[in-house]
Amino acid sequence: MENTKLCCPNRERVPTEEYQIGERIRCYVKAVESGPHGPEIILSRADPQFVIKLFQLEVSEINDGTIEVKGIAREPGFRTKLAVHTRDPKVDPVGACVGLRGQRVKNIVRELNNEKVDIIKWDPNIKNYIANALAPAQLKAFSVDEVRHRVKIMVAEDQLSLAIGKRGQNARLTSKLTGWQIDIEPETVVVFGFEEKVAQAVQTIAVVPGLTPETAHVLVHAGFSTLEALFQAELSDLEQIEQIKSEAPVIMEAIKAEAARRSVSKQETP
């Protein structure tokens, strides 16, 4: 095509790359348009399809259809996430794309001027798919909103920055890749203060039939903060507690009865 013009607009260039006159570069033919002086072939190095074409050239299993590219998300010059899948149980789709000693993906990364490439195993289960995409971050819990295509993920505090990625890149690309909005939050660790611990212990002791919350409160402050400790108490121990001294025998009977009931119940449990 004698008057055809090859053009790589700024929008199709990778922001971290510089091109010199006379330099030979690989590009993806994105479109053919009619320009003022004839046909124009629009070339791109920023389009996600450019990365897919590189994998087709490098990975024979993708080229022959054994491995299917299920999704791609890219921030040109920085990072790409590629999801792959195969119906052949004998083929590891991620391993095939990485290649022996990582040679296949290394060739692609070299062509992309060291852009980071994550190869991810696609999964029909959205939880597994997102977990694969956010790896190696360890995820604690998922809350999936099927209607709004939204997933809320809880992670431990030390995994938060890993899951989100630098400037939110990891989470952002995972969202583009899966088509789901992803919210990542740190797991809230409840730290009980002294009063909360006392109240919790009182509730534990008050389950013993015959013990009032007031009596349980006295016992907890006397050091009997667990049922195990209470069941090991002697009558003489209770008689030394001034607030319940007169009721010590009755309380002791209630404690022994509950201990015996639990012992029988434990023996009957297979």
Side-chain angles (χ1 to χ4, degrees), residues 52 55 59 61-62 66-72 81-87 91-98 117-124 129 132 177:
I52 292 177
F55 270 94
V59 183
E61 292 88 346
I62 291 180
T66 303
I67 294 175
E68 179 184 358
V69 175
K70 299 290 285 187
I72 187 170
K81 284 185 181 290
L82 185 83
V84 292
H85 173 66
T86 181
R87 297 180 185 276
V91 176
D92 173 12
V94 174
C97 291
V98 171
V117 177
D118 300 333
I119 304 170
I120 296 149
K121 186 175 182 181
W122 178 83
D123 197 292
Y129 190 15
N132 292 344
L177 181 71

Side-chain angles (χ1 to χ4, degrees), residues 1-261:
M1 298 175 69
E2 192 172 321
N3 296 323
T4 301
K5 179 183 177 182
L6 299 177
C7 180
C8 186
N10 286 334
R11 68 178 184 276
E12 301 300 340
R13 300 184 181 192
V14 176
T16 57
E17 295 179 344
E18 292 184 5
Y19 313 120
Q20 306 298 326
I21 295 175
E23 181 183 2
R24 297 184 66 179
I25 58 173
R26 274 182 169 178
C27 292
Y28 166 66
V29 177
K30 186 168 183 176
V32 178
E33 300 177 353
S34 296
H37 304 291
E40 291 184 350
I41 297 177
I42 307 301
L43 304 177
S44 177
R45 281 181 61 86
D47 195 285
Q49 286 295 322
F50 177 56
V51 178
I52 292 177
K53 291 297 181 182
L54 290 177
F55 270 94
Q56 287 176 341
L57 290 171
E58 195 68 41
V59 183
S60 58
E61 292 88 346
I62 291 180
N63 194 46
D64 65 19
T66 303
I67 294 175
E68 179 184 358
V69 175
K70 299 290 285 187
I72 187 170
R74 186 185 185 202
E75 293 189 358
F78 300 100
R79 193 170 190 174
T80 289
K81 284 185 181 290
L82 185 83
V84 292
H85 173 66
T86 181
R87 297 180 185 276
D88 189 339
K90 297 179 182 178
V91 176
D92 173 12
V94 174
C97 291
V98 171
L100 185 64
R101 297 177 184 170
Q103 194 56 52
R104 284 176 167 179
V105 75
K106 282 179 184 177
N107 292 339
I108 292 169
V109 168
R110 190 181 303 115
E111 176 62 41
L112 297 173
N113 289 312
N114 295 318
E115 181 177 316
K116 184 174 175 59
V117 177
D118 300 333
I119 304 170
I120 296 149
K121 186 175 182 181
W122 178 83
D123 197 292
N125 183 303
I126 190 59
K127 291 184 179 180
N128 295 338
Y129 190 15
I130 291 174
N132 292 344
L134 289 176
Q138 300 296 312
L139 313 182
K140 285 268 188 176
F142 283 82
S143 177
V144 179
D145 185 338
E146 296 279 357
V147 176
R148 297 167 64 193
H149 258 225
R150 190 167 186 167
V151 178
K152 183 177 179 181
I153 300 171
M154 303 298 290
V155 298
E157 284 195 17
D158 63 349
Q159 294 291 303
L160 183 62
S161 60
L162 185 60
I164 293 176
K166 187 177 182 180
R167 296 176 183 172
Q169 188 183 71
N170 197 38
R172 189 165 57 249
L173 283 174
T174 297
S175 184
K176 287 181 183 179
L177 181 71
T178 61
W180 286 65
Q181 183 175 338
I182 296 172
D183 302 314
I184 302 176
E185 297 180 5
E187 182 183 37
T188 303
V189 179
V190 179
V191 180
F192 290 108
F194 176 74
E195 292 300 327
E196 287 83 359
K197 289 180 179 179
V198 168
Q200 197 173 49
V202 168
Q203 288 183 347
T204 300
I205 299 302
V207 300
V208 176
L211 297 188
T212 65
E214 292 77 13
T215 301
H217 192 273
V218 171
L219 289 168
V220 168
H221 278 277
F224 301 102
S225 57
T226 66
L227 288 175
E228 289 75 15
L230 191 64
F231 293 158
Q232 292 174 11
E234 300 289 342
L235 179 59
S236 58
D237 297 326
L238 302 183
E239 288 176 336
Q240 292 177 21
I241 305 173
E242 191 63 34
Q243 298 96 315
I244 59 171
K245 185 177 181 179
S246 60
E247 304 170 39
V250 176
I251 295 172
M252 193 71 243
E253 286 301 317
I255 293 171
K256 286 182 178 179
E258 179 64 11
R261 185 190 69 78

